[in-house]
Amino acid sequence: MRHGLGSGQRCWTIAGAALLWAAAAPLAAAPPHLSIAADGLAEAVGQLSRQTGVEVLIAAAPPAGRYRLRGRLSAGAALRRLVRGRGLIVRSAGPGRYVIAPAPPPPAPPAEPESVTVQARRIDEAERDVPISMTVLGPGLLGERQIRRLDDLAVAVPGLVATSQINGVSPLIAIRGQRRPVGDDLRLPVITYFAGIALPNEGSLIPLYDLASVQVLRGPQGTVFGRNATGGALLLDPAAPGAGDFAELTIGSYRQTILEGGVDLVRGPVLSARLSGQRARRRGFVRDLANDRRLDDVHSDAARLLVDLRAGAALSQRVTIDWLAADEAGVADIVRGVYPNPPAVVTGGTARLPENAPFFDCGTPGCDVDAALADQQARGVRSTRIDVAQRARRRLFGVAADTKAGEGPWRGRLLIGYRQVRADDRHDVDGTPLAIRDFDRSRSRAQTSAEVQLLYRAPSGRLDGVAGAIRLVNAPDGDNVVLTGSTVTPAHPRVLTGRYERLDSRALFGELHWRPFAGRSPRATIGLRRTWDRIADCTIAPPPGAAAGRAACTGTLRIRSAATTWTLGLDARVAGGMAYLTIRRAYRPAGLNTPRLAASLAAYQAYRPETLHDAEIGWKADGAWAGLPYALSASLFTGRYRDIQRAITLPDDFDGDRDPLNDATAIILNAARARVSGAEAAGRVMPAHGLTLSLSGTLAHARYSEFAVPPAYLALVGADPKADRFSYLPRWTLAAGARYETPAGGGTAHASINARAQARIWYGVRRDDDYGIQPSYGVIDAEAGWAAPGGALSIALFARNLLDRTYAIGGGATTPAITTATLIYAAPRTIGLRARRGW
């Protein structure tokens, strides 16, 4: 047998020998033995030069004193010992040359952290004075944590779950266990606002670039602005003219390339304009072997134009126009398990029923679901084999006009928004090469909104508030069709349907903040909202070969709901901070199940509103203690939910009439009552100049107090539904970070490390189902970089998921009715370089 080194091994051997030689060379000649005794620095340096042969320039007034040194030292080490404690530093000026110069002045003591100004209640106030739990992210933190899309926010916001939905087009956002059911894009528990305008959920997986701030509000919202929300709100504030011109390039793993920039086109007292954009590319990290594609990729282009018009101090208007085009392959649903056949699981294994043989139970991966699962498990989660050539395309266009009028105590505001969404996606939900559950969808929708506000702030500062009204309409703007494949066989083809749903939401709202006594404490809050929601839905299930266009809509279903919601609060200065108590009532409107159900299920065509009563007590403070600047916040909350709208996935032909045209893939029922309670805390401290330590975390506990569904649906919710879990709600989350910065090279160098961990999380809800569970895990991110003064230039190396942990961030199919269980996994370790040039 021939033994030897390959070319690659030879290269590594030569390189290793060169490194060893380089390390050993300085040791070949031991440093000289020095003996220096002088009464001045100049004489001491002269003796050192004669004994070592180096050249030293003294570029400072040498302090008087006696200089003594003896021992075997290098020239550089000897110089540093000579000047130690004398206000001087030593710099190398080349081989055999050194310069002694004055040391830079000591850094100033760390400043106390400043509270960020926010508009969480539509008035400018410091974040520490807002009596609700919230997190604020500035542009620096967004860049350092590589937060580039809406679903990246979870890496920096405790308790926020943000991921892409199974189609890779729309986000799934959950706060305090509140999330939207799959397929429901109109009745959102968490609302995202961009430039003050509420975004539709459909297609709103938007990039985050050139932003002034991101504000995450927890708990019910709606008595000061916008739409009613039971879970919370995300406020995205774009950077305005004057934020500074810049260009930024990021390159990294999986051929990641992100180019961002922003420039002020015009800056004047009357007209200002800013243009910004982002071009993002990344190769997918999951290989689809069957279709020779890579899933979980990024391929998007976005642009924004922001124009400010001012007519004196009393009248201004800001118009924001944004655009996005994304052409991606969508997320990969990785099959995790296969449910047993009935009767082991009453609604499980429908693909393997006798009428579907031999298409899903033949013994080989191409036509057997169990063999497909074994094949996936052998490959791991970074490759898959599916029967659908996936795509996820979206085109977004939006206009937001924000007009402000008045000065002094009374001001008016008018917000007008328009959002157009064009999205189509083809997706394999079951994660196998079998046609068990696939979708091919095309959607075209438009949303318009108009909101008027009247704001008042008394000159005494003891009373302020807002009153307003809003109308929002989200409606079809073209054909909205879906081709559904469910256990497809020659006898059971795919079904084409069209769904044309329209939401018309109107509301009156107002909130007052009153300080009965002079000074800053205490303050009472009272808010009231009345909302009227109307939903009209026409679902078309035409016979094979017929069109499902909007023109064919007949027999539209309609439902109305209305509710009064409110906020009561009290806050006061306590123990150097602000303590507060807030009590709220919120609701999610009624809705419709589609298509028009068979007569046996017609009683469940509609479902009632869901209500929430919420209480939160908290404390916020910032300042300095024993000379250490700090900022702290903590809150306890509890919420009681009634008439919970629970989505239940239905097996094929659940109504038993053998008519696929009236079969729903899922149905929503008012099934339960529950209580969700928990705690949230965050803090940061600066124990030394340049060093910032942060720690944050959440605790949550959720349990159903009642769970009741009609007898026909009992088999679909498991043996003990009252013991089911709240999905997308980890029991605890924890995040810790350290950041250090120091002067270097005429600028500032920094290094940061951030670790986050969370408890086990359920992406399904059934307690007796292990497939939809992600065990507890931890992730570490790190960055090191340098920035020139004033932000003229910065460069940084970063690593996300440094330890290359494999963990799921969302669920695909997590119900026995689909036969398979699938999960969506986070990106592997990514390493990259970010460079930014500012002007």
Side-chain angles (χ1 to χ4, degrees):
M1 181 179 292
R2 182 169 178 254
H3 296 275
L5 297 176
S7 60
Q9 291 174 303
R10 284 196 296 271
C11 290
W12 282 111
T13 302
I14 294 170
L19 288 172
L20 288 173
W21 177 84
L27 302 177
H33 189 282
L34 303 178
S35 179
I36 298 172
D39 288 335
L41 180 62
E43 175 60 26
V45 167
Q47 295 183 26
L48 178 72
S49 296
R50 289 190 292 272
Q51 296 178 37
T52 61
V54 301
E55 182 180 347
V56 183
L57 172 66
I58 303 176
R66 303 178 66 185
Y67 293 81
R68 300 286 185 268
L69 187 65
R70 185 180 295 274
R72 193 172 291 278
L73 298 169
S74 67
L79 282 171
R80 290 181 180 88
R81 286 199 183 185
L82 284 173
V83 304
R84 183 183 298 167
R86 299 178 187 268
L88 302 171
I89 60 171
V90 176
R91 293 196 181 109
S92 174
R97 292 182 177 86
Y98 294 91
V99 175
I100 297 177
E112 295 185 5
E114 296 183 359
S115 189
V116 181
T117 299
V118 298
Q119 272 214 334
R121 301 191 298 173
R122 286 303 200 220
I123 56 175
D124 290 330
E125 55 187 335
E127 186 273 331
R128 64 187 170 206
D129 293 330
V130 180
I132 59 174
S133 178
M134 65 182 300
T135 298
V136 182
L137 308 177
L141 184 58
L142 293 171
E144 188 168 313
R145 299 300 301 274
Q146 285 294 297
I147 298 173
R148 304 307 184 108
R149 295 202 320 178
L150 197 64
D151 52 343
D152 290 331
L153 284 172
V155 305
V157 181
L160 173 72
V161 178
T163 182
S164 69
Q165 188 51 271
I166 58 174
N167 55 23
V169 170
S170 301
L172 188 152
I173 302 172
I175 298 178
R176 295 182 178 178
Q178 286 284 294
R179 72 173 183 90
R180 71 179 181 93
V182 174
D184 185 353
D185 287 298
L186 297 182
R187 303 169 315 102
L188 305 176
V190 180
I191 307 295
T192 300
Y193 293 86
F194 179 76
I197 302 298
L199 298 183
N201 192 70
E202 191 73 69
S204 63
L205 194 60
I206 60 175
L208 304 182
Y209 64 94
D210 198 27
L211 295 179
S213 70
V214 174
Q215 303 168 37
V216 180
L217 316 182
R218 300 180 180 90
Q221 308 295 324
T223 58
V224 291
F225 62 89
R227 297 186 63 185
N228 181 73
T230 56
L234 276 59
L235 312 183
L236 312 180
D237 184 18
D245 301 343
F246 76 97
E248 182 175 298
L249 174 65
T250 301
I251 56 175
S253 307
Y254 298 93
R255 299 180 184 174
Q256 181 188 48
T257 304
I258 303 176
L259 179 62
E260 296 183 2
V263 59
D264 288 346
L265 302 176
V266 181
R267 287 192 64 185
V270 177
L271 173 65
S272 299
R274 181 174 181 83
L275 179 67
S276 55
Q278 183 197 79
R279 181 183 189 271
R281 302 289 188 270
R282 189 195 67 199
R283 188 174 65 173
F285 51 80
V286 176
R287 295 182 62 190
D288 173 11
L289 302 176
N291 297 284
D292 192 25
R293 302 193 69 189
R294 285 185 175 266
L295 310 180
D296 285 296
D297 63 329
V298 175
H299 189 287
S300 66
D301 298 292
R304 180 192 313 144
L305 176 64
L306 192 151
V307 178
D308 273 345
L309 294 169
R310 295 184 177 275
L315 182 63
S316 66
Q317 183 177 67
R318 172 171 295 176
V319 178
T320 306
I321 303 172
D322 64 290
W323 167 86
L324 168 71
D327 293 277
E328 299 164 347
V331 299
D333 285 75
I334 304 299
V335 60
R336 175 77 171 265
V338 176
Y339 295 98
N341 278 2
V345 176
V346 176
T347 61
T350 53
R352 294 178 296 192
L353 294 178
E355 58 264 31
N356 292 320
F359 302 99
F360 307 103
D361 202 12
C362 70
T364 61
C367 58
D368 189 289
V369 66
D370 297 299
L373 171 62
D375 186 47
Q376 179 67 68
Q377 291 173 333
R379 286 193 310 271
V381 303
R382 299 306 180 196
S383 68
T384 187
R385 191 183 299 273
I386 55 178
D387 64 309
V388 172
Q390 288 195 175
R391 68 169 184 266
R393 300 172 182 165
R394 58 195 188 278
R395 299 289 186 273
L396 308 179
F397 176 75
V399 179
D402 185 355
T403 304
K404 298 178 180 179
E407 55 183 337
W410 293 97
R411 290 170 293 147
R413 189 176 188 184
L414 175 64
L415 285 157
I416 298 177
Y418 173 77
R419 305 293 297 184
Q420 183 187 69
V421 180
R422 302 279 189 269
D424 66 275
D425 65 282
R426 183 186 299 129
H427 194 74
D428 189 310
V429 181
D430 58 83
T432 72
L434 314 177
I436 295 177
R437 184 60 66 94
D438 307 323
F439 292 102
D440 192 342
R441 287 176 280 207
S442 178
R443 282 148 294 171
S444 179
R445 301 191 64 84
Q447 177 176 289
T448 57
S449 61
E451 179 178 350
V452 61
Q453 300 172 5
L454 181 63
L455 299 97
Y456 174 75
R457 172 166 282 180
S460 65
R462 294 171 57 180
L463 179 67
D464 61 74
V466 58
I470 184 173
R471 183 181 182 189
L472 181 145
V473 176
N474 187 310
D477 190 36
D479 286 346
N480 289 258
V481 297
V482 55
L483 184 64
T484 304
S486 183
T487 56
V488 176
T489 68
H492 191 201
R494 289 176 170 82
V495 176
L496 178 69
T497 56
R499 185 175 185 186
Y500 300 91
E501 190 176 23
R502 185 180 190 272
L503 167 70
D504 188 339
S505 182
R506 311 178 190 195
L508 298 173
F509 57 84
E511 187 171 288
L512 285 175
H513 316 125
W514 176 50
R515 298 183 187 276
F517 309 107
R520 294 179 55 82
S521 183
R523 176 176 58 181
T525 296
I526 180 170
L528 192 66
R529 179 188 184 96
R530 181 65 178 178
T531 307
W532 298 267
D533 291 305
R534 294 187 294 180
I535 294 178
D537 191 296
C538 175
T539 299
I540 307 164
R550 188 177 182 183
C553 265
T554 58
T556 299
L557 301 170
R558 304 180 188 276
I559 191 169
R560 297 186 180 189
S561 58
T564 299
T565 54
W566 43 262
T567 299
L568 296 174
L570 183 66
D571 61 82
R573 307 302 296 183
V574 175
M578 180 194 70
Y580 65 89
L581 170 65
T582 301
I583 303 173
R584 296 167 288 203
R585 182 182 190 269
Y587 104 116
R588 294 173 69 181
L592 293 163
N593 290 308
T594 58
R596 186 177 292 274
L597 303 177
S600 59
L601 303 179
Y604 314 113
Q605 191 77 66
Y607 46 92
R608 301 184 304 277
E610 174 183 319
T611 59
L612 163 66
H613 287 82
D614 163 270
E616 179 181 316
I617 184 171
W619 179 74
K620 297 181 178 183
D622 55 31
W625 179 78
L628 299 180
Y630 70 88
L632 300 172
S633 64
S635 63
L636 300 172
F637 68 89
T638 184
R640 188 176 73 241
Y641 300 84
R642 295 187 176 183
D643 289 322
I644 292 177
Q645 298 166 352
R646 171 74 175 268
I648 301 172
T649 302
L650 303 182
D652 294 339
D653 195 35
F654 178 70
D655 53 20
D657 65 357
R658 298 294 180 179
D659 181 4
L661 302 183
N662 62 14
D663 287 345
T665 57
I667 194 167
I668 296 177
L669 302 173
N670 296 103
R673 295 186 178 188
R675 181 177 292 276
V676 179
S677 304
E680 298 152 342
R684 72 181 189 274
V685 64
M686 289 180 276
H689 179 79
L691 178 63
T692 302
L693 303 178
S694 61
L695 183 66
S696 60
T698 65
L699 293 172
H701 175 69
R703 61 180 295 271
Y704 288 104
S705 57
E706 179 182 312
F707 204 112
V709 297
Y713 298 93
L714 285 175
L716 304 178
V717 295
D720 185 11
K722 190 176 175 181
D724 282 353
R725 303 291 186 176
F726 265 63
S727 60
Y728 292 82
L729 180 67
R731 186 69 179 267
W732 56 263
T733 66
L734 184 64
R739 189 181 195 278
Y740 180 71
E741 62 179 42
T742 184
T748 303
H750 76 271
S752 65
I753 185 167
N754 293 279
R756 64 186 190 278
Q758 75 173 37
R760 178 171 50 180
I761 187 170
W762 276 260
Y763 294 122
V765 296
R766 294 168 58 129
R767 188 180 181 89
D768 57 354
D769 184 352
D770 294 334
Y771 295 142
I773 297 175
Q774 167 59 49
S776 58
Y777 65 90
V779 180
I780 295 177
D781 302 332
E783 179 175 295
W786 177 87
L793 177 67
S794 64
I795 188 169
L797 291 168
F798 64 87
R800 290 191 61 178
N801 192 5
L802 182 62
L803 302 181
D804 201 19
R805 300 297 191 197
T806 300
Y807 59 98
I809 56 173
T814 53
T815 170
I818 298 180
T819 301
T820 64
T822 58
L823 294 177
I824 301 168
Y825 285 85
R829 175 173 51 231
T830 55
I831 298 174
L833 174 71
R834 186 178 75 250
R836 182 184 178 102
R837 180 74 169 90
W839 292 273

